[in-house]
Amino acid sequence: MSRIYLEYHDETQNKHRFYQLWVLPSLFEDWTLVKEWGRVGSPGTVRKEWFATETEAVAAQGLWTSKKMKKGYLYKD
């Protein structure tokens, strides 16, 4: 399982957001990219995308990560 967790904080606008991405195998021999986002400390919105191969799912995960980092999100453990 490949997981990436990002956070964005802007104290002046009271914005505290997170974005998580997982790559997981599914039951039907394909791969799923699970995206979850929302305000830090609250349950987030979850969306899933399915891919034929793990390579495609990991590439999509990298694309989403770079998009979010361009908007100011940072890696958080």
Side-chain angles (χ1 to χ4, degrees):
M1 171 169 73
S2 173
R3 176 183 176 257
I4 295 175
Y5 183 82
L6 306 167
E7 283 190 4
Y8 174 80
H9 296 280
D10 183 348
E11 296 293 335
T12 61
Q13 296 183 11
N14 195 26
K15 288 184 181 180
H16 304 282
R17 299 184 177 161
F18 74 93
Y19 207 92
Q20 286 190 97
L21 299 152
W22 293 276
V23 173
L24 304 167
S26 75
L27 296 174
F28 304 106
E29 298 182 12
D30 56 356
W31 290 83
T32 306
L33 173 62
V34 180
K35 300 177 285 187
E36 181 181 7
W37 66 91
R39 185 167 174 87
V40 172
S42 64
T45 301
V46 177
R47 295 286 187 265
K48 298 178 183 176
E49 291 182 42
W50 289 269
F51 297 90
T53 66
E54 181 180 13
T55 304
E56 291 174 358
V58 170
Q61 182 186 40
L63 180 65
W64 278 103
T65 300
S66 65
K67 284 182 182 180
K68 292 300 170 184
M69 292 186 78
K70 286 179 184 176
K71 291 185 176 186
Y73 283 77
L74 301 172
Y75 281 103
K76 182 84 173 183
D77 289 329

